[in-house]
């Protein structure tokens, strides 16, 4: 979007034009552009308006109905926090009793909007001039939110009682952008976030989901968040935003107080947790049930039973596979393989959003020819392929199996390791 087009779009006339456009379609964009030129609009304004119309349509997946009144850039939309996820960030700040929050690196204002929507007084700070201008438009419906052009490192934190950081985690390399995994290489760095927490107290930071546990800060809570099965982020919370057993205003789930080793003592911080947001609106979370790292990470190993679970990625990233196994009444099928299994399962375990449950039909050695023969016998025409601990290409395997597409049945094939060897598990979702 050119600076001239943006300037024209941000006028009252430009916004009226944008809001008057029909639902964007790629097929109809050329004809619409020609029509708008015939009405006397400048090419720059037309290009800017059509770009925004296209981005608004794309943004509905992240922002719902809010997208219809917002402005975007392609990069900003790609990096923006989903409103459903931002609402969970905001709720933690509200429930901890904070009132005035700085949203540092606010981008297009998604987290600013979520916090303002819960009644917090929010100032969003953005260092990119164009992005800050668009964010200013986006927060206009909220009188308790405003946007300032500036850098997080230069903000006066005496103005707020809490801060939220969304550090830039991409850098340019040879004309391309690359994702940064070391939080010290982000802008601002994790060291700056820690220093801010020492001054402000209540601080949260959105980090890369692949963050190595060696970077986790003692006395904080890091929560991995997945949305519809995709792990989106790890959020580190300092001060009153980190949950503690029996202390503070934030609620601690019961498993933190009932566990195999007496669980967590009074005042213990919930160092790691997982938040799972599902498509059916059933949010679930998992917190440690022990102080023993081995108990948290390593379930006992057993045979493949009647049921098998595929844990959500947020649980795995949080290092809570052992906790989940105890919650489900299950064990792992091989050391270092993140599949859980059991011969019996409660209705709650089978329906848990924390792991996808399957009923095991058959287990056999992993031999393509034998698997293909058995799937033909079972009249399987639709096959979902999953793998862990196996260096295979699911698409290639599906092709090699040469299924009869008209066959009436569906199944899931899980390629993994168990009992020291490669196995194929034929299963069906519960």
């Amino acid at each position: 979007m050119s600076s001239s087009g943006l300037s024209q779009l941000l006028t009252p006339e430009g916004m009226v034009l944008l809001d008057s456009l029909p639902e964007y379609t790629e097929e109809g964009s050329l004809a619409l552009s020609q029509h708008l030129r015939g009405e006397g609009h400048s090419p720059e304004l037309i290009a800017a308006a059509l770009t925004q119309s296209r981005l608004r349509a794309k943004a509905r997946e992240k922002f719902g109905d809010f997208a219809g009144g917002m402005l975007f850039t392609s990069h900003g939309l790609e990096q923006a926090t989903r409103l459903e996820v931002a609402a969970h960030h905001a709720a933690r700040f509200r429930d901890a009793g904070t009132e005035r929050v700085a949203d540092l690196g606010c981008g297009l204002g998604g987290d600013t909007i979520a916090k303002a929507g819960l009644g917090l007084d929010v100032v969003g700070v953005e260092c990119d001039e164009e992005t800050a201008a668009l964010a200013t438009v986006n927060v206009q419906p909220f009188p308790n939110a405003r946007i300032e052009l500036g850098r997080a490192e230069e903000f006066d934190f005496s103005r707020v009682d809490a801060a939220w950081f969304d550090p830039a985690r991409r850098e340019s390399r040879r004309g391309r952008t690359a994702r940064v995994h070391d939080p010290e290489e982000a802008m601002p760095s994790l060291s700056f976030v820690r220093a801010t927490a020492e001054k402000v107290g209540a601080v949260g930071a959105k980090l890369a989901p692949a963050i190595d546990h060696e970077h986790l800060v003692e006395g904080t809570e890091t929560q991995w968040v997945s949305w519809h099965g995709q792990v989106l982020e790890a959020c580190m919370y300092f001060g009153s935003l980190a949950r503690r057993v029996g202390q503070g205003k934030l609620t601690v789930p019961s498993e933190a107080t009932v566990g195999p080793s007496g669980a967590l003592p009074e005042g213990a911080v919930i160092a790691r947790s997982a938040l799972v947001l599902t498509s059916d609106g059933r949010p679930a979370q998992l917190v440690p049930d022990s102080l023993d790292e081995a108990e948290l990470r390593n379930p006992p190993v057993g045979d493949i039973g009647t049921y098998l679970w595929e844990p959500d990625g947020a649980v795995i990233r949080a290092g809570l596979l052992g906790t989940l196994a105890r919650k489900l009444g299950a064990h792992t099928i091989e050391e270092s393989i993140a599949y859980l299994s059991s011969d019996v399962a409660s209705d709650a375990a089978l329906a848990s959003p924390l792991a996808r449950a399957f009923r095991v039909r058959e287990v056999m050695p992993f031999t393509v020819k034998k698997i293909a023969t058995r799937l033909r016998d079972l009249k399987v025409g639709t096959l979902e392929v999953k793998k862990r601990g196996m260096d295979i290409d699911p698409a290639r395997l599906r092709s090699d199996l040469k299924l009869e597409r008209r066959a009436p049945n569906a199944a899931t094939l899980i390629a993994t390791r168990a009992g020291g060897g490669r196995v194929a598990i034929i299963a069906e979702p519960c």
Side-chain angles (χ1 to χ4, degrees):
M1 186 162 43
S2 69
S3 58
S4 173
L6 177 61
S7 298
Q8 294 181 53
L9 184 68
L10 293 179
T11 64
E13 295 78 14
M15 294 303 293
V16 168
L17 173 63
L18 173 59
D19 293 336
S20 71
L21 296 181
E23 184 78 15
Y24 181 87
T25 64
E26 201 68 42
E27 299 78 11
S29 60
L30 179 59
L32 180 57
S33 176
Q34 293 173 340
H35 173 74
L36 294 175
R37 286 198 180 203
E39 290 186 341
H41 299 290
S42 72
E44 294 84 1
L45 175 57
I46 293 171
L50 289 179
T51 295
Q52 287 303 317
S53 181
R54 174 176 57 82
L55 292 174
R56 281 180 170 182
K58 185 178 180 181
R60 285 197 185 93
E61 186 203 9
K62 284 191 172 183
F63 291 94
D65 292 341
F66 278 95
M70 297 176 68
L71 298 178
F72 303 94
T73 63
S74 294
H75 176 74
L77 177 56
E78 179 184 346
Q79 300 301 313
T81 303
R82 294 178 180 277
L83 199 55
E84 181 182 356
V85 176
H88 284 272
H89 303 160
R92 186 176 290 242
F93 280 81
R94 178 200 61 192
D95 295 345
T98 66
E99 297 179 349
R100 303 179 310 281
V101 184
D103 181 1
L104 291 312
C106 68
L108 294 168
D111 272 290
T112 304
I113 290 170
K115 291 176 176 63
L118 291 185
L120 301 173
D121 185 23
V122 192
V123 53
V125 179
E126 173 55 47
C127 64
D128 180 75
E129 187 173 0
E130 178 181 345
T131 303
L134 301 184
T136 298
V137 174
N138 294 341
V139 304
Q140 280 182 348
F142 300 93
N144 52 327
R146 58 200 177 280
I147 303 296
E148 297 179 1
L149 181 64
R151 292 170 51 83
E153 294 88 344
E154 299 168 355
F155 185 78
D156 177 8
F157 288 98
S158 67
R159 300 166 54 191
V160 297
D161 61 8
W164 171 253
F165 288 87
D166 189 351
R169 299 190 300 278
R170 288 182 178 272
E171 64 179 6
S172 296
R173 296 177 182 172
R174 298 179 181 178
R176 297 183 179 181
T177 58
R179 189 175 295 275
V180 171
H181 294 292
D182 184 346
E184 290 302 327
E185 296 181 2
M187 297 178 60
S189 67
L190 181 56
S191 294
F192 181 81
V193 174
R194 293 180 65 174
T196 301
E198 292 176 1
K199 294 184 292 185
V200 178
V203 168
K206 177 180 173 181
L207 307 173
I211 183 173
D212 194 298
H213 283 209
E214 69 178 17
H215 294 299
L216 304 187
V217 178
E218 186 176 356
T220 67
E221 176 183 351
T222 302
Q223 182 174 76
W224 281 260
V225 181
S226 75
W227 180 85
H228 298 196
Q230 178 185 5
V231 185
L232 299 179
E233 62 187 28
C235 297
M236 186 176 291
Y237 293 103
F238 296 76
S240 61
L241 297 176
R243 292 177 290 182
R244 288 171 169 78
V245 177
Q247 295 183 7
K249 298 181 179 180
L250 301 177
T251 301
V252 175
S254 61
E255 58 255 44
T257 57
V258 180
S261 301
L264 308 186
E266 179 86 7
V269 67
I270 305 298
R272 306 192 306 271
S273 62
L275 174 63
V276 177
L277 305 175
T278 62
S279 57
D280 59 4
R282 294 185 301 152
Q285 59 179 311
L286 189 67
V287 300
D289 62 350
S290 172
L291 289 176
D292 188 313
E293 275 296 314
E295 288 182 343
L296 294 178
R297 295 178 180 275
N298 306 318
V301 179
D303 295 332
I304 299 173
T306 305
Y307 301 98
L308 183 138
W309 286 268
E310 178 185 36
D312 186 89
V315 173
I316 298 171
R317 292 281 192 186
L320 296 176
L321 193 62
T323 297
L324 178 61
R326 286 185 288 277
K327 192 178 185 71
L328 299 176
H331 54 261
T332 189
I333 62 174
E334 179 86 352
E335 189 174 345
S336 78
I337 296 293
Y339 283 127
L340 303 175
S341 189
S342 176
D343 279 323
V344 296
S346 66
D347 290 342
L350 294 176
S352 174
L354 298 169
R356 187 181 177 194
F358 297 88
R359 185 184 299 274
V360 176
R361 297 175 63 175
E362 297 184 27
V363 182
M364 64 179 66
F366 189 87
T367 305
V368 173
K369 185 176 293 186
K370 291 182 178 180
I371 297 170
T373 299
R374 188 58 185 142
L375 291 175
R376 284 195 294 270
D377 291 343
L378 295 172
K379 299 180 179 179
V380 172
T382 303
L383 185 69
E384 177 186 30
V385 178
K386 293 183 167 292
K387 66 163 187 172
R388 275 190 181 153
M390 296 270 285
D391 185 17
I392 62 170
D393 180 350
R396 173 73 178 273
L397 174 61
R398 193 181 292 106
S399 175
D400 291 344
L401 292 172
K402 297 181 172 60
L403 299 177
E404 174 53 59
R405 294 184 179 181
R406 296 181 181 179
N409 297 327
T412 299
L413 178 68
I414 300 169
T416 189
R417 303 187 66 85
R422 291 155 45 105
V423 299
I425 303 170
I426 300 175
E428 59 188 8
C430 291

